Amino acid sequence: EMENTISDVLTTYYLIVKQKQIIRAIENTLGLYNERLTIAETKWKIGTASKIDFLQAQVDINEQKSNLLTQKKTLTDLKISFNQVLARDITEDFDTDSIIATQYSPTYDELRSTTFEQNNQIFFQQQNIRINKYMLRESYSNLFPRISLSSSYNFSQTKNQVGLILVNQNLGVNAGITATWSLFNGGNAIQQIKNSKLSILNAQLNFESAKKIIESSLLQTYNGFRSEQEILKLEEQNFDIAKENVT
């Protein structure tokens, strides 16, 4: 539960940062489109370009304005979700960093190793296997005799007021070993061993299943991360091209 909460907080936070960058990019693009509109209007008025270019530039600006409003609403929704995850007033406004480190590029093997070392679900399944192995050892112990040790120390002293013996004192140490062995218990010990072995097998299967689920989720997340990096490069190229189109 704690891991899920932390994951939700981090994911929502960086989605907010990403959304702010998207809005800033649209605002920059909108500025370029405004310059393009001015140029198209000037060319149309002096007769070096048709009115169609001017009208198309106006349409492009309106599309960007509409997109900007949509992205701002998305940012507001993300902030509400972030406040909800933190269990605070959902109307509380706040600001975040505007930069996401894009140089971080871990390998899949590094992430896989770290995940398997630190994931609580995997740790829980490993502990479950160990517990069931201890229970199997305990089940095997029912097949062997039980040894118990006992010891005692006695001291007594009697004083007589009359007679030849005035003081009678006894000291004694006793020790014993007892061995008990159940010759027949209806096959319960053997059945308990079989059940313990099945529990170990189930625990191992659950462990492998948890590993596959986590590894599958990790691989999907990693592939998504790599795709986002490529998309970022393309968006940066698109922005540079848009600047060239205006100039």
Side-chain angles (χ1 to χ4, degrees):
E1 185 67 27
M2 180 62 69
E3 285 184 345
N4 292 335
T5 302
I6 295 175
S7 175
D8 291 340
V9 170
L10 292 176
T11 299
T12 308
Y13 179 86
Y14 281 108
L15 283 176
I16 291 173
V17 177
K18 175 184 176 182
Q19 194 63 29
K20 289 179 61 178
Q21 290 184 333
I22 291 175
I23 291 174
R24 185 173 60 181
I26 294 175
E27 290 174 341
N28 290 335
T29 302
L30 191 58
L32 297 176
Y33 276 38
N34 283 324
E35 293 182 17
R36 179 184 174 191
L37 177 65
T38 301
I39 294 173
E41 184 180 12
T42 301
K43 289 182 176 181
W44 166 53
K45 288 183 177 180
I46 64 176
T48 58
S50 67
K51 188 177 181 180
I52 295 178
D53 294 335
F54 169 72
L55 294 176
Q56 183 61 50
Q58 185 65 58
V59 170
D60 292 340
I61 286 179
N62 291 337
E63 289 180 353
Q64 290 300 319
K65 288 181 178 180
S66 175
N67 189 20
L68 181 61
L69 291 174
T70 301
Q71 298 302 330
K72 286 184 175 180
K73 179 183 181 303
T74 301
L75 177 62
T76 301
D77 293 342
L78 287 171
K79 287 187 175 183
I80 293 174
S81 299
F82 188 75
N83 285 329
Q84 184 178 5
V85 172
L86 294 180
R88 63 186 187 185
D89 185 3
I90 60 175
T91 61
E92 181 177 345
D93 195 17
F94 58 92
D95 198 13
T96 64
D97 292 334
S98 300
I99 299 176
I100 299 177
T102 58
Q103 302 302 320
Y104 177 65
S105 184
T107 65
Y108 175 74
D109 290 337
E110 291 174 345
L111 293 175
R112 183 177 182 275
S113 177
T114 303
T115 299
F116 285 164
E117 289 176 359
Q118 300 180 0
N119 186 270
N120 286 336
Q121 183 64 24
I122 290 179
F123 176 77
F124 169 77
Q125 296 297 341
Q126 288 175 329
Q127 292 296 104
N128 197 27
I129 292 175
R130 293 190 183 98
I131 291 172
N132 281 283
K133 286 182 177 180
Y134 290 142
M135 293 178 64
L136 177 61
R137 294 177 184 175
E138 183 178 353
S139 299
Y140 271 116
S141 68
N142 294 326
L143 300 178
F144 301 99
R146 298 180 180 272
I147 306 298
S148 59
L149 302 176
S150 61
S151 63
S152 62
Y153 175 78
N154 298 320
F155 172 78
S156 64
Q157 185 181 62
T158 304
K159 294 183 178 180
N160 296 324
Q161 299 297 328
V162 296
L164 298 176
I165 302 176
L166 297 179
V167 177
N168 184 15
Q169 181 173 296
N170 294 317
L171 299 173
V173 177
N174 297 319
I177 299 177
T178 303
T180 59
W181 197 343
S182 178
L183 297 178
F184 180 73
N185 60 0
N188 291 333
I190 300 299
Q191 186 61 43
Q192 188 175 0
I193 291 173
K194 292 180 179 179
N195 292 338
S196 296
K197 289 182 178 180
L198 287 176
S199 297
I200 293 175
L201 179 60
N202 287 331
Q204 291 173 336
L205 291 175
N206 290 334
F207 173 67
E208 294 299 327
S209 176
K211 283 180 59 178
K212 290 184 181 299
I213 292 174
I214 292 171
E215 188 170 10
S216 174
S217 177
L218 174 63
L219 182 57
Q220 292 175 1
T221 303
Y222 181 76
N223 289 336
F225 172 73
R226 299 295 296 174
S227 296
E228 290 294 333
Q229 285 184 317
E230 295 300 322
I231 292 174
L232 177 61
K233 293 179 181 179
L234 293 174
E235 292 296 334
E236 290 175 345
Q237 293 177 3
N238 289 338
F239 181 73
D240 292 337
I241 292 173
K243 289 175 64 177
E244 290 183 6
N245 287 337
V246 172
T247 57

